[in-house]
Every structure is written in structure tokens, then in C-alpha cells.
Amino acid sequence: MKKLLITGASGFLGSHIIQVAQSTYEVYGTYNTHALEGIDGANLFKVNLADFQELKQICTNIKPDAVIHTAALSQPNYCQNHPEESHAINVTASANIAGLCAQYSIPCAFTSTDLVFDGKNAPYKETDAVNPVNLYGEQKVLAEQAMLEQYPQTAVCRMPLMFGAATQKAKSFMQGFIQTLEEGKELKLFTDEYRTPVSGTTAAKGLLLMIEKNYHGVIHLGGKERISRYDFGKLMVEVFKLPDTNLKYCKQQDVQMSAPRPADVSFDSSKAFALGYKPLSVKEELEAIALLN
Ligand SMILES: NC(=O)c1ccc[n+]([C@@H]2O[C@H](COP(=O)([O-])OP(=O)(O)OC[C@H]3O[C@@H](n4cnc5c(N)ncnc54)[C@H](OP(=O)(O)O)[C@@H]3O)[C@@H](O)[C@H]2O)c1
């Protein structure tokens, strides 16, 4: 079996990639502050990827045949308030990973984001101009550019909003929504913030497909549907049979956050669909997740 190195294996997406990749690859995963334990068939290592020596050592030891780089400081509000710390992992470490993949000439997939766009001209194709409205989005743009410069064979996979079952050390935004409603508290969701979300499992399959195809350049791995946060909440209430009296709506302008948020960063992912990427509808994805509970 070929060796696949997944950075950020303790994170939401990284954990889903481990689950999906195990049947095809010998899986190696890294974590930093959240130690992973006892995942059958996965070899797990603590690495601070912001330390180049640690990163280089892990690559030398493992000699991977492919890398999926998901590790990041992924919360836009945190990045906005911690610019240097987030730059080190989101930009510098990403560029270093591309450099090492170039040395080994191996497939490298990077998880960028829909937040590279300003949200004013959706749906977005790969060829549309980026214009991030927050620091996290800016860092992902810098990482995309640096990685492609270091290694033009990098697959820059722009990921949409992702949801799914909680993993050993990570959750998606869904778990907070469900808990709030189950506790009888009010859950206010935006009617004017649109995304093309997919489950962690679908996203993992998309990334593995790009590795398999040795895809080079930018690709959008969005879902089939454009949906507002509020409509997502309504579907979640329906599928998970949650009490709905406390599900309320609001507008982006009603909530102040450290990092500005673009309104509509829906993707046009037809290029990935043509390559065989097959997200389900949001409702079907939620139904599949509900079956796991
Ligand atoms: N979630 C979304 O909806 C979404 C949407 C678009 C794009 N993305 C992108 O997709 C990727 C995965 O997102 P996610 O939601 O799975 O993120 P996540 O749950 O926040 O996980 C982030 C991972 O990065 C690791 N990490 C952070 N700093 C590190 C460091 N200095 N050294 C080594 N590892 C470090 C974390 O390790 P520890 O926890 O062990 O410290 C964790 O495994 C990210 O690149 C994110 O920007 C996510």
C-alpha cells in the first residue's frame, strides 16, 4: 500500500480523511495539541508543523507517497486576533510542505477555503479573482500562491463549509447547533449568508480523488446546493427531529464578529463534478450522518 501523510489528523476534516483513506492507503497522521489515540490502522505523530525541523524530520522518517495538508488555525476570528501565530501555520508551514513535496515529487493536496472570495459575485469558479475580506482568507490566498510557486503540481483544493459527526477530538458547527436546540436555547441563524456545504466524508473523498488523479492547480470541492445558514438549520431540525420553536433567523449585520464574513461564497464546482466528485444533496448528507447516531 502507498503511504499517505495527513497533516491535521486530529482536526475535523483530517479525522474524516483517515476514516475514508484507510482501505486504500497506509495512513500516517499528525496532531499537535489534541493527542489522538488508538485509531486502528493509522500511525499517529505529534508534530508542530510551524517548526520546520520537526516537519522535515517527519517527512524524512515516513517518506510518504502523497500528502494531504489540512492542518491550519481554521477559525477566522482567532486568526484575526492572532496574526503572527496563524501566519506561521497557515502560510509558512504550507509553503514548506509544498517545498518538501516538490523534493520528493509526490502528489500534494492543500485545503484552502471559500473565504478567499469577497462574497459579492457568487457562484465562484476557479478562474474568478480572489478578494478575501478577513485575515484568515488572506492567509489562505498567500498559502495558495506560495505552494504553487514552490510546487506547481500542488492540488489547491478550495473547501466549502463542512459538517458531520463529531470525531475523536473535533466537532463541526452542527454539534453546537444541535446542543443549543436540545437545551431549549434560542439558535439564531443567518438568512443572508450562503454557502455550498458538504459533509466531512464527502470532502475527504474529493481530496482523495484529487490525489488519485494527481490534479495540479486550483479546484473547488463545493456541494451541489447553495443554501443559507438558516435553511441549513431548518433541514437539520427536520432530519434530526429537533425541537424547532427556538430556531430563529437574523442577518449578518445583526452580529458583530472580529473577522468580517462574506455574504455568499457559493462555489461552482462543475470542474470537480466532471472529474468524478459526487456530493449528495444537503438533506441526503444529513440523513447519512443521522444514521451514525
Ligand atoms: N471546517 C470548515 O468548514 C472548513 C471550510 C473551508 C476550509 N477549511 C480548511 O480545511 C482544513 C481542515 O479544517 P478543519 O475544520 O478540519 O480544522 P480543525 O478541526 O480546526 O483542525 C485543524 C488541525 O490543524 C492542526 N494544527 C493547528 N496548528 C498546528 C500546528 N502548529 N502544528 C501541527 N498541527 C496544527 C490541529 O492540531 P491539534 O488540534 O492537534 O492542535 C488540527 O488537527 C483547514 O485547512 C481549514 O482552513 C475548513
Side-chain angles (χ1 to χ4, degrees):
M1 270 184 170
K2 286 188 173 173
K3 294 180 187 174
L4 174 67
L5 173 61
I6 303 161
T7 71
S10 49
F12 175 74
L13 178 59
S15 303
H16 280 85
I17 303 172
I18 291 185
Q19 287 166 16
V20 177
Q22 269 179 342
S23 54
T24 326
Y25 290 94
E26 191 177 321
V27 171
Y28 292 78
T30 73
Y31 59 85
N32 187 28
T33 56
H34 294 97
L36 284 172
E37 286 148 22
I39 300 185
D40 284 345
N43 306 280
L44 303 162
F45 300 90
K46 175 171 166 52
V47 187
N48 177 7
L49 297 167
D51 180 330
F52 182 62
Q53 292 311 322
E54 283 191 36
L55 167 62
K56 206 171 146 190
Q57 194 61 52
I58 198 89
C59 289
T60 312
N61 292 350
I62 296 170
K63 294 186 183 57
D65 297 295
V67 174
I68 301 182
H69 173 43
T70 79
L73 285 172
S74 65
Q75 299 300 322
N77 291 331
Y78 187 87
C79 295
Q80 203 77 17
N81 296 322
H82 300 84
E84 282 169 25
E85 182 192 353
S86 52
H87 188 97
I89 175 75
N90 288 355
V91 184
T92 311
S94 300
N96 288 336
I97 285 170
L100 290 165
C101 289
Q103 269 180 34
Y104 290 102
S105 291
I106 53 172
C108 171
F110 169 56
T111 52
S112 187
T113 173
D114 48 9
L115 298 182
V116 297
F117 295 114
D118 61 16
K120 294 178 184 162
N121 291 296
Y124 289 99
K125 288 194 171 131
E126 289 81 355
T127 46
D128 288 327
V130 297
N131 186 29
V133 301
N134 57 41
L135 191 61
Y136 166 75
E138 278 175 32
Q139 290 174 343
K140 288 292 190 175
V141 169
L142 291 174
E144 289 186 355
Q145 291 166 349
M147 291 183 82
L148 288 170
E149 207 170 285
Q150 290 276 341
Y151 190 38
Q153 281 82 353
T154 303
V156 170
C157 303
R158 293 199 182 127
M159 310 311 292
L161 180 68
M162 289 178 274
F163 59 92
T167 61
Q168 194 186 103
K169 299 286 172 178
K171 290 176 181 165
S172 72
F173 64 91
M174 253 180 72
Q175 281 69 41
F177 283 13
I178 292 173
Q179 192 181 347
T180 303
L181 290 176
E182 283 181 342
E183 287 173 357
K185 295 183 189 153
E186 190 175 83
L187 177 66
K188 275 189 171 176
L189 298 176
F190 299 131
T191 49
D192 58 350
E193 185 174 291
Y194 291 91
R195 303 290 184 256
T196 33
V198 295
S199 69
T201 305
T202 293
K205 287 179 184 165
L207 287 161
L208 289 164
L209 181 68
M210 295 310 133
I211 288 284
E212 227 173 82
K213 295 210 171 280
N214 207 357
Y215 184 85
H216 301 167
V218 177
I219 188 98
H220 289 178
L221 297 181
K224 284 208 304 205
E225 277 164 88
R226 170 183 178 270
I227 189 168
S228 72
R229 293 263 182 180
Y230 179 69
D231 285 335
F232 184 95
K234 283 205 303 191
L235 271 180
M236 217 180 57
V237 160
E238 183 190 330
V239 172
F240 285 83
K241 300 185 177 35
L242 297 166
D244 67 349
T245 42
N246 286 318
L247 178 63
K248 308 281 187 230
Y249 57 84
C250 66
K251 301 264 185 202
Q252 270 190 340
Q253 64 180 31
D254 300 332
V255 182
Q256 272 302 319
M257 278 176 270
S258 303
R261 296 163 74 107
D264 184 350
V265 288
S266 307
F267 280 143
D268 174 336
S269 302
S270 42
K271 201 169 173 183
F273 299 158
L275 290 170
Y277 177 54
K278 284 195 204 109
L280 304 171
S281 70
V282 174
K283 191 170 178 197
E284 287 166 335
E285 296 263 38
L286 286 170
E287 284 168 347
I289 295 160
L291 286 178
L292 302 172
N293 289 337

